[in-house]
Amino acid sequence: MSNAPLIIVGAGHAGGRAALTLRDEGYTGRLILIGDEPHLPYERPPLSKALLQGSMDLAGCSLCDSARLTELGIEHIAGHPVSRLEPQHQRLQLADGRWLDYAGLLLATGGRARRLPQAQANVLYLRTHDEALTLRSALRPGTRLVIVGGGFIGLEVAATARGQGCQVCVLEAGPRLAGRVLPPVISDALLALHRAQGVEVRLNVALESIHAGAVQLVDGQRLPCDLVVVGIGMQPNIELAAAAGLDVGQGIRVDAYLRTSAPTVYAAGDVCEFRLGGLYQRQETWRNAEAQGRHAALNLLGRALPFEALPGFWSDQYGWGLQTVGVVTPRVISRALSDDGVLLFYLDAEGYLQGACGWALGNRVAKDIKLCERLIAARVALNEASLAEPDVSLKHLLRG
């Protein structure tokens, strides 16, 4: 099968980045990129912000245009998803019946928005470009919007909708906003910020049903609304891999090289379940899609490089910025920043930095988080008092 192509299943951020990287690295063979959506590969963070606001279009968040794909000789198959995968024969079948052999395969199948059990006419989700356009057309001044889910998608939609003049109510089942990924101090800051911006936030609530003009809560309260947006997480698209007999858990499981249980098949992006700190996990972030897309491409070319990139993510709401890097540990040091911002440092038992989380106005914490990333890599032993002191620069600590 020496003349068989490399194939990427999934034409989102990770898959698109992998295809472009293969060409950047000198691969000149046949290269096929297969996507469920009709669009070219694009980044998802703008969907809940700039694209939803109308300040960006699809071209603005796309990794490349069709002319660039043609120039690079990347065959983009849209509208004919993969229906069957046979890794033992190194081939796959498209929905239109065609079989394609491959020399190497990357599964970057991403995921889909988790749905509520009962479909409702006035319920919208936000995972794709087309869903973002549908939601954008519904956000008008005075629209009564209920958002189910107080994670990042729900909160970013809330911020955008308030900017469009909507009345917004966020319903969160847990005791804190984004409680699964944020420390209490930043969850509390998010809550205060959204309430200050006029968002009604209800914590520890359970949804009973959704009707044409209202949401019914388990406690009997009825919330009138014109529209409901559900942001309760993502369902990874593992069905193709599972049916093919690949090892799956909460995603497609891979080894240190992003290789699945089939030797010529790799996985990357939101669907990829890899080991971090000894435990399997997935990272649903721009940073992970970008890094794993590039890395999987290199290993498809035989580089055999272990994936060791640090996790991290960001969110922007009402002019405030949140950024994280690395991993959370029990030992945390807090540094107060100006204008009620905060920088958190996560240390191991020996005093080495393992992660950091920053919250401040504008892009204030971006520089600090980059310095924290360098501190993690440099393995500099840190003093707790120096970390807590705002007047001690992180550059000074980096110099030891």
Side-chain angles (χ1 to χ4, degrees):
M1 301 183 65
S2 60
N3 293 324
L6 294 182
I7 296 181
I8 300 169
V9 179
H13 184 174
R17 181 57 65 204
L20 296 173
T21 300
L22 285 168
R23 290 303 193 220
D24 288 343
E25 292 295 317
Y27 174 70
T28 58
R30 190 181 178 197
L31 178 56
I32 302 174
L33 180 64
I34 304 172
D36 292 346
E37 294 184 62
H39 310 298
L40 297 170
Y42 62 87
E43 300 174 344
R44 297 191 188 277
L47 298 186
S48 57
K49 292 171 277 194
L51 195 140
L52 192 59
Q53 295 163 359
S55 60
M56 180 182 289
D57 59 11
L58 178 60
C61 53
S62 295
L63 299 185
C64 63
D65 58 22
S66 56
R68 181 62 176 160
L69 279 190
T70 300
E71 176 188 344
L72 294 173
I74 299 172
E75 301 174 40
H76 182 211
I77 298 176
H80 300 289
V82 177
S83 59
R84 182 179 177 85
L85 172 61
E86 294 184 351
Q88 67 275 25
H89 299 123
Q90 291 186 221
R91 67 175 190 166
L92 55 81
Q93 187 178 36
L94 302 179
D96 62 5
R98 281 180 290 167
W99 284 95
L100 298 174
D101 294 326
Y102 61 81
L105 178 68
L106 173 62
L107 297 177
T109 48
R112 57 199 183 273
R114 290 187 184 276
R115 256 52 179 177
L116 292 176
Q118 300 86 17
Q120 301 288 337
N122 62 332
V123 174
L124 296 180
Y125 298 84
L126 181 57
R127 172 71 187 174
T128 68
H129 167 266
D130 292 352
E131 288 172 340
L133 291 188
T134 300
L135 177 56
R136 187 170 79 187
S137 67
L139 297 183
R140 302 183 184 90
T143 297
R144 298 171 301 173
L145 173 64
V146 169
I147 298 173
V148 180
F152 288 113
I153 288 294
L155 295 176
E156 288 174 1
V157 170
T160 299
R162 283 297 296 146
Q164 303 294 90
C166 299
Q167 301 175 37
V168 182
C169 177
V170 173
L171 305 179
E172 168 54 41
R176 295 193 287 115
L177 294 178
R180 187 171 59 90
V181 294
L182 289 182
V185 64
I186 295 183
S187 288
D188 292 345
L190 268 175
L191 177 63
L193 176 62
H194 277 271
R195 284 177 169 167
Q197 293 292 331
V199 177
E200 181 184 1
V201 181
R202 298 187 179 213
L203 304 174
N204 296 304
V205 297
L207 182 68
E208 181 175 282
S209 58
I210 299 175
H211 306 282
V215 168
Q216 184 76 38
L217 302 182
V218 168
D219 64 7
Q221 294 186 74
R222 189 177 178 87
L223 308 177
C225 64
D226 304 305
L227 182 67
V228 177
V229 172
V230 177
I232 54 174
M234 187 205 79
Q235 179 67 44
N237 293 328
I238 62 173
E239 292 81 3
L240 180 68
L246 300 182
D247 188 17
V248 299
Q250 297 302 310
I252 302 173
R253 290 192 166 175
V254 299
D255 63 13
Y257 306 96
L258 304 183
R259 184 174 49 214
T260 71
S261 54
T264 58
V265 181
Y266 293 77
D270 291 353
V271 78
C272 177
E273 191 175 25
F274 61 103
R275 287 190 185 274
L276 182 64
L279 300 175
Y280 274 116
Q281 63 176 271
R282 292 184 302 105
Q283 294 280 331
E284 300 170 14
T285 66
W286 180 96
R287 183 185 177 110
N288 186 64
E290 179 76 8
Q292 287 192 343
R294 291 181 184 276
H295 203 91
L298 297 178
N299 285 344
L300 276 169
L301 296 176
R303 305 290 176 81
L305 301 170
F307 181 72
E308 298 172 339
L310 285 173
F313 65 90
W314 77 85
S315 179
D316 302 312
Q317 299 170 39
Y318 305 111
W320 283 73
L322 166 73
Q323 289 199 34
T324 77
V325 69
V327 297
V328 173
T329 66
R331 187 179 175 190
V332 56
I333 309 300
S334 177
R335 171 181 289 200
L337 302 177
S338 59
D339 299 318
D340 296 322
V342 65
L343 192 59
L344 303 177
F345 305 95
Y346 297 101
L347 305 178
D348 64 15
E350 288 75 40
Y352 295 111
L353 190 65
Q354 301 298 308
C357 180
W359 168 257
L361 269 173
N363 206 29
R364 162 75 172 80
V365 296
K367 182 179 179 181
D368 289 335
I369 293 298
K370 283 188 178 298
L371 288 169
C372 286
E373 189 166 353
R374 293 173 61 188
L375 281 166
I376 293 171
R379 295 283 293 170
V380 177
L382 299 169
N383 176 273
E384 290 190 10
S386 297
L387 284 175
E389 176 53 58
D391 291 334
V392 177
S393 76
L394 296 182
K395 278 188 177 180
H396 176 76
L397 297 179
L398 186 61
R399 291 194 292 266

